[in-house]
Amino acid sequence: MHRPLPLATGVADVVLDVFAPRNPAEFHRVLRPTGRLIVVRPTGRHLAELRERLPATVTVDPAKERRLHRALDPFFAVAATGQVEYGAALAREEALDLLAMTPSARHLTRADLSGEAPLPDRVTVSVLATAYRPR
């Protein structure tokens, strides 16, 4: 996200950022004046059951919200925020796949994920989604 997006200036109606790094200036550049930036990020409850079983997993920094809004504030104003939360059943292989695609993958060892490690068969998906309008 440190490179320009392959889009002309002011052509996008929506930029969707889901659990990804953000480039506020570039998002602002490509959005139409009436466009929206949608940012989806985890709450502290997101995948809590995995964190309870595997202490090496990454937690959500409580200051993340404040940093997000501070970084976007020069370019965007909040239009609306909503929370989505639900439970999801997971087979062991699905739990391992899920862990592999999170930042926690770099912090877990083979022993953490061995066949003996108890993994939950259900997790909470909990995210905040905020729509921002360009300033």
mmCIF file of all heavy atoms in Angstrom, residues 62-96:
data_model
loop_
_atom_site.group_PDB
_atom_site.id
_atom_site.type_symbol
_atom_site.label_atom_id
_atom_site.label_comp_id
_atom_site.label_asym_id
_atom_site.label_seq_id
_atom_site.Cartn_x
_atom_site.Cartn_y
_atom_site.Cartn_z
ATOM 1 N N PRO A 62 -5.581 -2.111 22.033
ATOM 2 C CA PRO A 62 -6.696 -1.234 22.431
ATOM 3 C C PRO A 62 -6.590 0.188 21.862
ATOM 4 O O PRO A 62 -7.587 0.881 21.733
ATOM 5 C CB PRO A 62 -6.628 -1.199 23.951
ATOM 6 C CG PRO A 62 -5.651 -2.232 24.364
ATOM 7 C CD PRO A 62 -4.858 -2.645 23.166
ATOM 8 N N ALA A 63 -5.397 0.619 21.498
ATOM 9 C CA ALA A 63 -5.214 1.970 20.941
ATOM 10 C C ALA A 63 -5.413 2.008 19.423
ATOM 11 O O ALA A 63 -5.289 3.064 18.809
ATOM 12 C CB ALA A 63 -3.817 2.480 21.292
ATOM 13 N N LYS A 64 -5.722 0.869 18.826
ATOM 14 C CA LYS A 64 -5.846 0.788 17.362
ATOM 15 C C LYS A 64 -6.905 1.758 16.816
ATOM 16 O O LYS A 64 -6.669 2.427 15.813
ATOM 17 C CB LYS A 64 -6.175 -0.643 16.956
ATOM 18 C CG LYS A 64 -6.236 -0.855 15.472
ATOM 19 C CD LYS A 64 -6.461 -2.319 15.146
ATOM 20 C CE LYS A 64 -6.297 -2.530 13.669
ATOM 21 N NZ LYS A 64 -5.388 -3.571 13.342
ATOM 22 N N GLU A 65 -8.051 1.847 17.465
ATOM 23 C CA GLU A 65 -9.116 2.734 16.993
ATOM 24 C C GLU A 65 -8.655 4.188 16.963
ATOM 25 O O GLU A 65 -8.882 4.895 15.991
ATOM 26 C CB GLU A 65 -10.356 2.612 17.885
ATOM 27 C CG GLU A 65 -11.192 1.408 17.608
ATOM 28 C CD GLU A 65 -11.736 1.372 16.192
ATOM 29 O OE1 GLU A 65 -12.499 2.274 15.802
ATOM 30 O OE2 GLU A 65 -11.373 0.437 15.462
ATOM 31 N N ARG A 66 -8.034 4.598 18.015
ATOM 32 C CA ARG A 66 -7.552 5.980 18.109
ATOM 33 C C ARG A 66 -6.532 6.273 17.002
ATOM 34 O O ARG A 66 -6.593 7.305 16.333
ATOM 35 C CB ARG A 66 -6.940 6.210 19.496
ATOM 36 C CG ARG A 66 -6.754 7.644 19.872
ATOM 37 C CD ARG A 66 -6.413 7.848 21.344
ATOM 38 N NE ARG A 66 -5.528 6.867 21.944
ATOM 39 C CZ ARG A 66 -5.915 5.913 22.815
ATOM 40 N NH1 ARG A 66 -7.164 5.820 23.194
ATOM 41 N NH2 ARG A 66 -5.046 5.059 23.317
ATOM 42 N N ARG A 67 -5.602 5.338 16.768
ATOM 43 C CA ARG A 67 -4.582 5.520 15.716
ATOM 44 C C ARG A 67 -5.221 5.552 14.328
ATOM 45 O O ARG A 67 -4.836 6.357 13.476
ATOM 46 C CB ARG A 67 -3.534 4.410 15.781
ATOM 47 C CG ARG A 67 -2.536 4.578 16.893
ATOM 48 C CD ARG A 67 -1.311 3.680 16.723
ATOM 49 N NE ARG A 67 -1.585 2.367 16.191
ATOM 50 C CZ ARG A 67 -1.913 1.286 16.924
ATOM 51 N NH1 ARG A 67 -1.995 1.380 18.233
ATOM 52 N NH2 ARG A 67 -2.128 0.142 16.350
ATOM 53 N N LEU A 68 -6.201 4.687 14.111
ATOM 54 C CA LEU A 68 -6.883 4.641 12.818
ATOM 55 C C LEU A 68 -7.538 5.982 12.514
ATOM 56 O O LEU A 68 -7.318 6.567 11.449
ATOM 57 C CB LEU A 68 -7.935 3.523 12.814
ATOM 58 C CG LEU A 68 -8.887 3.516 11.617
ATOM 59 C CD1 LEU A 68 -8.149 3.170 10.343
ATOM 60 C CD2 LEU A 68 -10.035 2.558 11.862
ATOM 61 N N HIS A 69 -8.324 6.479 13.446
ATOM 62 C CA HIS A 69 -9.032 7.736 13.214
ATOM 63 C C HIS A 69 -8.073 8.913 13.079
ATOM 64 O O HIS A 69 -8.287 9.803 12.254
ATOM 65 C CB HIS A 69 -10.076 7.978 14.302
ATOM 66 C CG HIS A 69 -11.180 6.962 14.268
ATOM 67 N ND1 HIS A 69 -12.003 6.784 13.184
ATOM 68 C CD2 HIS A 69 -11.570 6.040 15.176
ATOM 69 C CE1 HIS A 69 -12.864 5.810 13.427
ATOM 70 N NE2 HIS A 69 -12.621 5.338 14.628
ATOM 71 N N ARG A 70 -6.996 8.896 13.835
ATOM 72 C CA ARG A 70 -6.002 9.973 13.740
ATOM 73 C C ARG A 70 -5.331 9.964 12.355
ATOM 74 O O ARG A 70 -5.108 11.018 11.758
ATOM 75 C CB ARG A 70 -4.949 9.814 14.830
ATOM 76 C CG ARG A 70 -4.081 11.040 14.990
ATOM 77 C CD ARG A 70 -3.147 10.956 16.181
ATOM 78 N NE ARG A 70 -3.655 10.083 17.214
ATOM 79 C CZ ARG A 70 -2.932 9.234 17.931
ATOM 80 N NH1 ARG A 70 -1.636 9.168 17.785
ATOM 81 N NH2 ARG A 70 -3.463 8.466 18.836
ATOM 82 N N ALA A 71 -5.023 8.764 11.835
ATOM 83 C CA ALA A 71 -4.368 8.661 10.522
ATOM 84 C C ALA A 71 -5.299 9.088 9.386
ATOM 85 O O ALA A 71 -4.864 9.697 8.402
ATOM 86 C CB ALA A 71 -3.891 7.226 10.293
ATOM 87 N N LEU A 72 -6.589 8.787 9.523
ATOM 88 C CA LEU A 72 -7.533 9.097 8.448
ATOM 89 C C LEU A 72 -8.081 10.518 8.527
ATOM 90 O O LEU A 72 -8.530 11.077 7.515
ATOM 91 C CB LEU A 72 -8.690 8.092 8.475
ATOM 92 C CG LEU A 72 -8.324 6.649 8.147
ATOM 93 C CD1 LEU A 72 -9.538 5.750 8.287
ATOM 94 C CD2 LEU A 72 -7.712 6.527 6.768
ATOM 95 N N ASP A 73 -8.046 11.126 9.700
ATOM 96 C CA ASP A 73 -8.685 12.418 9.930
ATOM 97 C C ASP A 73 -8.290 13.532 8.957
ATOM 98 O O ASP A 73 -9.150 14.310 8.550
ATOM 99 C CB ASP A 73 -8.457 12.868 11.373
ATOM 100 C CG ASP A 73 -9.277 14.092 11.711
ATOM 101 O OD1 ASP A 73 -10.519 14.016 11.600
ATOM 102 O OD2 ASP A 73 -8.668 15.124 12.060
ATOM 103 N N PRO A 74 -7.041 13.638 8.529
ATOM 104 C CA PRO A 74 -6.731 14.718 7.579
ATOM 105 C C PRO A 74 -7.429 14.567 6.223
ATOM 106 O O PRO A 74 -7.615 15.550 5.509
ATOM 107 C CB PRO A 74 -5.211 14.612 7.404
ATOM 108 C CG PRO A 74 -4.728 13.889 8.613
ATOM 109 C CD PRO A 74 -5.839 12.951 8.988
ATOM 110 N N PHE A 75 -7.833 13.354 5.885
ATOM 111 C CA PHE A 75 -8.392 13.072 4.572
ATOM 112 C C PHE A 75 -9.879 12.711 4.584
ATOM 113 O O PHE A 75 -10.559 12.861 3.577
ATOM 114 C CB PHE A 75 -7.629 11.918 3.919
ATOM 115 C CG PHE A 75 -6.169 12.175 3.778
ATOM 116 C CD1 PHE A 75 -5.265 11.716 4.727
ATOM 117 C CD2 PHE A 75 -5.678 12.896 2.700
ATOM 118 C CE1 PHE A 75 -3.915 11.960 4.603
ATOM 119 C CE2 PHE A 75 -4.327 13.147 2.565
ATOM 120 C CZ PHE A 75 -3.433 12.680 3.524
ATOM 121 N N PHE A 76 -10.362 12.171 5.724
ATOM 122 C CA PHE A 76 -11.703 11.600 5.773
ATOM 123 C C PHE A 76 -12.422 11.959 7.067
ATOM 124 O O PHE A 76 -11.797 12.146 8.103
ATOM 125 C CB PHE A 76 -11.644 10.066 5.685
ATOM 126 C CG PHE A 76 -11.078 9.563 4.399
ATOM 127 C CD1 PHE A 76 -9.738 9.222 4.300
ATOM 128 C CD2 PHE A 76 -11.883 9.425 3.277
ATOM 129 C CE1 PHE A 76 -9.205 8.762 3.096
ATOM 130 C CE2 PHE A 76 -11.363 8.971 2.075
ATOM 131 C CZ PHE A 76 -10.021 8.638 1.986
ATOM 132 N N ALA A 77 -13.751 11.995 6.980
ATOM 133 C CA ALA A 77 -14.612 12.158 8.156
ATOM 134 C C ALA A 77 -15.482 10.910 8.269
ATOM 135 O O ALA A 77 -15.897 10.335 7.253
ATOM 136 C CB ALA A 77 -15.491 13.391 8.002
ATOM 137 N N VAL A 78 -15.776 10.498 9.490
ATOM 138 C CA VAL A 78 -16.615 9.321 9.714
ATOM 139 C C VAL A 78 -18.034 9.618 9.255
ATOM 140 O O VAL A 78 -18.610 10.647 9.619
ATOM 141 C CB VAL A 78 -16.610 8.917 11.205
ATOM 142 C CG1 VAL A 78 -17.634 7.819 11.476
ATOM 143 C CG2 VAL A 78 -15.212 8.481 11.631
ATOM 144 N N ALA A 79 -18.592 8.716 8.451
ATOM 145 C CA ALA A 79 -19.987 8.828 8.018
ATOM 146 C C ALA A 79 -20.874 7.890 8.831
ATOM 147 O O ALA A 79 -21.974 8.265 9.222
ATOM 148 C CB ALA A 79 -20.108 8.522 6.526
ATOM 149 N N ALA A 80 -20.391 6.675 9.097
ATOM 150 C CA ALA A 80 -21.172 5.694 9.870
ATOM 151 C C ALA A 80 -20.269 4.548 10.282
ATOM 152 O O ALA A 80 -19.324 4.212 9.577
ATOM 153 C CB ALA A 80 -22.331 5.158 9.040
ATOM 154 N N THR A 81 -20.577 3.968 11.443
ATOM 155 C CA THR A 81 -19.845 2.800 11.933
ATOM 156 C C THR A 81 -20.852 1.757 12.384
ATOM 157 O O THR A 81 -21.865 2.086 12.997
ATOM 158 C CB THR A 81 -18.925 3.160 13.119
ATOM 159 O OG1 THR A 81 -17.946 4.097 12.673
ATOM 160 C CG2 THR A 81 -18.200 1.928 13.664
ATOM 161 N N GLY A 82 -20.555 0.503 12.075
ATOM 162 C CA GLY A 82 -21.394 -0.605 12.526
ATOM 163 C C GLY A 82 -20.534 -1.776 12.947
ATOM 164 O O GLY A 82 -19.382 -1.893 12.517
ATOM 165 N N GLN A 83 -21.085 -2.600 13.808
ATOM 166 C CA GLN A 83 -20.372 -3.793 14.261
ATOM 167 C C GLN A 83 -21.089 -5.025 13.717
ATOM 168 O O GLN A 83 -22.319 -5.082 13.691
ATOM 169 C CB GLN A 83 -20.319 -3.867 15.782
ATOM 170 C CG GLN A 83 -19.527 -5.067 16.274
ATOM 171 C CD GLN A 83 -19.265 -5.033 17.766
ATOM 172 O OE1 GLN A 83 -19.506 -4.036 18.437
ATOM 173 N NE2 GLN A 83 -18.762 -6.125 18.291
ATOM 174 N N VAL A 84 -20.294 -5.991 13.273
ATOM 175 C CA VAL A 84 -20.810 -7.279 12.834
ATOM 176 C C VAL A 84 -20.176 -8.322 13.744
ATOM 177 O O VAL A 84 -18.958 -8.335 13.927
ATOM 178 C CB VAL A 84 -20.438 -7.570 11.358
ATOM 179 C CG1 VAL A 84 -20.898 -8.956 10.939
ATOM 180 C CG2 VAL A 84 -21.007 -6.497 10.447
ATOM 181 N N GLU A 85 -21.014 -9.178 14.316
ATOM 182 C CA GLU A 85 -20.479 -10.220 15.205
ATOM 183 C C GLU A 85 -21.353 -11.464 15.092
ATOM 184 O O GLU A 85 -22.577 -11.374 15.100
ATOM 185 C CB GLU A 85 -20.446 -9.726 16.649
ATOM 186 C CG GLU A 85 -19.768 -10.718 17.579
ATOM 187 C CD GLU A 85 -19.464 -10.121 18.938
ATOM 188 O OE1 GLU A 85 -18.739 -9.107 18.993
ATOM 189 O OE2 GLU A 85 -19.954 -10.675 19.927
ATOM 190 N N TYR A 86 -20.691 -12.594 14.956
ATOM 191 C CA TYR A 86 -21.404 -13.873 14.889
ATOM 192 C C TYR A 86 -20.434 -14.997 15.240
ATOM 193 O O TYR A 86 -19.211 -14.824 15.200
ATOM 194 C CB TYR A 86 -22.016 -14.093 13.496
ATOM 195 C CG TYR A 86 -21.012 -14.081 12.365
ATOM 196 C CD1 TYR A 86 -20.394 -15.253 11.921
ATOM 197 C CD2 TYR A 86 -20.682 -12.888 11.725
ATOM 198 C CE1 TYR A 86 -19.475 -15.231 10.893
ATOM 199 C CE2 TYR A 86 -19.768 -12.854 10.700
ATOM 200 C CZ TYR A 86 -19.167 -14.034 10.277
ATOM 201 O OH TYR A 86 -18.260 -13.996 9.259
ATOM 202 N N GLY A 87 -20.976 -16.131 15.575
ATOM 203 C CA GLY A 87 -20.164 -17.309 15.848
ATOM 204 C C GLY A 87 -20.018 -18.138 14.583
ATOM 205 O O GLY A 87 -20.902 -18.155 13.728
ATOM 206 N N ALA A 88 -18.893 -18.809 14.460
ATOM 207 C CA ALA A 88 -18.633 -19.665 13.299
ATOM 208 C C ALA A 88 -18.027 -20.978 13.765
ATOM 209 O O ALA A 88 -17.086 -20.982 14.563
ATOM 210 C CB ALA A 88 -17.682 -18.964 12.331
ATOM 211 N N ALA A 89 -18.584 -22.066 13.269
ATOM 212 C CA ALA A 89 -18.047 -23.389 13.575
ATOM 213 C C ALA A 89 -16.791 -23.618 12.738
ATOM 214 O O ALA A 89 -16.710 -23.174 11.596
ATOM 215 C CB ALA A 89 -19.090 -24.461 13.267
ATOM 216 N N LEU A 90 -15.802 -24.313 13.346
ATOM 217 C CA LEU A 90 -14.542 -24.590 12.659
ATOM 218 C C LEU A 90 -14.105 -26.029 12.885
ATOM 219 O O LEU A 90 -14.041 -26.473 14.028
ATOM 220 C CB LEU A 90 -13.412 -23.709 13.209
ATOM 221 C CG LEU A 90 -13.359 -22.244 12.899
ATOM 222 C CD1 LEU A 90 -12.165 -21.619 13.603
ATOM 223 C CD2 LEU A 90 -13.236 -22.029 11.414
ATOM 224 N N ALA A 91 -13.764 -26.707 11.828
ATOM 225 C CA ALA A 91 -13.060 -27.981 11.961
ATOM 226 C C ALA A 91 -11.602 -27.653 12.276
ATOM 227 O O ALA A 91 -11.145 -26.518 12.054
ATOM 228 C CB ALA A 91 -13.157 -28.773 10.662
ATOM 229 N N ARG A 92 -10.860 -28.609 12.807
ATOM 230 C CA ARG A 92 -9.459 -28.374 13.178
ATOM 231 C C ARG A 92 -8.649 -27.809 12.010
ATOM 232 O O ARG A 92 -7.899 -26.848 12.172
ATOM 233 C CB ARG A 92 -8.817 -29.652 13.710
ATOM 234 C CG ARG A 92 -7.374 -29.416 14.117
ATOM 235 C CD ARG A 92 -6.736 -30.641 14.760
ATOM 236 N NE ARG A 92 -5.354 -30.354 15.056
ATOM 237 C CZ ARG A 92 -4.921 -29.580 16.034
ATOM 238 N NH1 ARG A 92 -5.776 -29.020 16.853
ATOM 239 N NH2 ARG A 92 -3.637 -29.359 16.222
ATOM 240 N N GLU A 93 -8.788 -28.396 10.825
ATOM 241 C CA GLU A 93 -8.031 -27.916 9.663
ATOM 242 C C GLU A 93 -8.410 -26.474 9.307
ATOM 243 O O GLU A 93 -7.549 -25.692 8.914
ATOM 244 C CB GLU A 93 -8.243 -28.834 8.452
ATOM 245 C CG GLU A 93 -7.458 -30.126 8.533
ATOM 246 C CD GLU A 93 -5.956 -29.888 8.657
ATOM 247 O OE1 GLU A 93 -5.395 -29.090 7.871
ATOM 248 O OE2 GLU A 93 -5.339 -30.492 9.552
ATOM 249 N N GLU A 94 -9.656 -26.131 9.459
ATOM 250 C CA GLU A 94 -10.085 -24.759 9.190
ATOM 251 C C GLU A 94 -9.484 -23.797 10.204
ATOM 252 O O GLU A 94 -9.076 -22.685 9.844
ATOM 253 C CB GLU A 94 -11.610 -24.665 9.214
ATOM 254 C CG GLU A 94 -12.273 -25.407 8.070
ATOM 255 C CD GLU A 94 -13.766 -25.536 8.232
ATOM 256 O OE1 GLU A 94 -14.251 -25.681 9.381
ATOM 257 O OE2 GLU A 94 -14.464 -25.488 7.209
ATOM 258 N N ALA A 95 -9.414 -24.215 11.453
ATOM 259 C CA ALA A 95 -8.797 -23.373 12.483
ATOM 260 C C ALA A 95 -7.321 -23.147 12.167
ATOM 261 O O ALA A 95 -6.812 -22.026 12.296
ATOM 262 C CB ALA A 95 -8.968 -24.005 13.858
ATOM 263 N N LEU A 96 -6.629 -24.187 11.723
ATOM 264 C CA LEU A 96 -5.210 -24.055 11.361
ATOM 265 C C LEU A 96 -5.048 -23.134 10.146
ATOM 266 O O LEU A 96 -4.144 -22.300 10.117
ATOM 267 C CB LEU A 96 -4.599 -25.426 11.092
ATOM 268 C CG LEU A 96 -4.460 -26.327 12.317
ATOM 269 C CD1 LEU A 96 -4.030 -27.724 11.901
ATOM 270 C CD2 LEU A 96 -3.490 -25.740 13.325
#
